[in-house]
Amino acid sequence: MRANQPLTNPEQIARAAAEQELSQFVATCVENIPKLAFIGNRRATKIWNDVGQSEDRLAERCADIGRNDPATQKAIVKAVNTSQARLREVDLSTTTTTTIDPNQAYISITCPPRETDAVGSFRAEFDVEQSAPDNVSIREWGIDYGDGRSYKAGSQSTAEAELYWHNYYETGAFEVTAWITDAAGERTEATCTVRWSN
């Protein structure tokens, strides 16, 4: 088939669309995984470290994710979309990515983009990632929304259902802190900022 001949076969059209979608995802993935890793996104940090922080290997990994791992692909796209403001501030030419210690509990939180359209109230949903090694038992999940309200939960499922979103009723900038506490009382926390203005 000539390069400039239009596609008419539905199967060819679908294949071309899928290839274009994959290409766009790979470009997004390669550009943003190192930045997401730098700002503390655990999934991105694991991917970036797994490929030895090599852009060539990262491109192969991103293509593999795009073809075979829709859940991870969706999570990466969501993390990019919810972290746009922070990602624009990252200059990787002057920063380095820290490898996460797999022997310690870990938590990261990403706030939604700056809100300017909400009137009366604003529901913020937080992207929280957390993990702990097998020998560390997490006993408490908590969050401080930065507006004078904070809550705790006794299980990860409850935290994910009830803690990782919040309604704000006044405009402003709110520093949000999420944390986990293990059985020994060791607390690990992460912060981000919610910004709402009219």
Side-chain angles (χ1 to χ4, degrees):
M1 179 182 293
R2 295 175 183 172
N4 61 351
Q5 186 174 345
L7 298 175
T8 56
N9 185 309
E11 189 174 306
Q12 291 176 329
I13 293 172
R15 191 181 312 118
E19 289 174 358
Q20 182 177 8
E21 184 178 339
L22 174 63
S23 177
Q24 290 173 343
F25 169 72
V26 170
T28 298
C29 180
V30 169
E31 177 184 357
N32 290 288
I33 284 292
K35 295 180 181 181
L36 287 167
F38 177 74
I39 66 174
N41 182 285
R42 183 169 178 77
R43 180 179 281 106
T45 301
K46 184 178 187 311
I47 293 171
W48 189 224
N49 289 333
D50 284 350
V51 300
Q53 300 188 11
S54 160
E55 289 190 5
D56 290 339
R57 291 179 60 194
L58 177 60
E60 295 174 3
R61 179 75 178 101
C62 289
D64 181 61
I65 291 170
R67 292 188 186 100
N68 304 308
D69 192 347
T72 298
Q73 179 180 359
K74 182 178 179 181
I76 290 171
V77 171
K78 179 182 177 183
V80 170
N81 290 338
T82 58
S83 306
Q84 284 295 329
R86 294 179 70 192
L87 292 176
R88 281 193 294 269
E89 297 169 0
V90 175
D91 180 3
L92 291 177
S93 66
T94 60
T95 59
T96 56
T97 302
T98 302
T99 301
I100 294 172
D101 185 348
N103 298 313
Q104 295 182 348
Y106 172 86
I107 187 169
S108 71
I109 181 170
T110 302
C111 285
R114 178 190 294 272
E115 176 61 40
T116 57
D117 297 328
V119 177
S121 66
F122 166 48
R123 178 182 168 111
E125 297 187 2
F126 308 103
D127 184 10
V128 178
E129 295 193 19
Q130 56 203 327
S131 67
D134 292 340
N135 63 339
V136 174
S137 176
I138 303 301
R139 295 294 176 84
E140 180 183 86
W141 290 254
I143 191 165
D144 185 323
Y145 300 110
D147 63 351
R149 286 172 285 185
S150 62
Y151 295 93
K152 299 175 184 177
S155 71
Q156 183 173 345
S157 60
T158 300
E160 291 173 349
E162 300 180 8
L163 268 60
Y164 299 149
W165 60 272
H166 185 61
N167 289 318
Y168 291 89
Y169 296 96
E170 295 181 3
T171 58
F174 308 93
E175 184 172 282
V176 181
T177 302
W179 71 86
I180 48 178
T181 306
D182 65 23
E186 189 73 23
R187 174 166 154 159
T188 304
E189 62 182 40
T191 63
C192 65
T193 303
V194 169
R195 293 180 172 87
W196 175 25
S197 59
N198 291 329

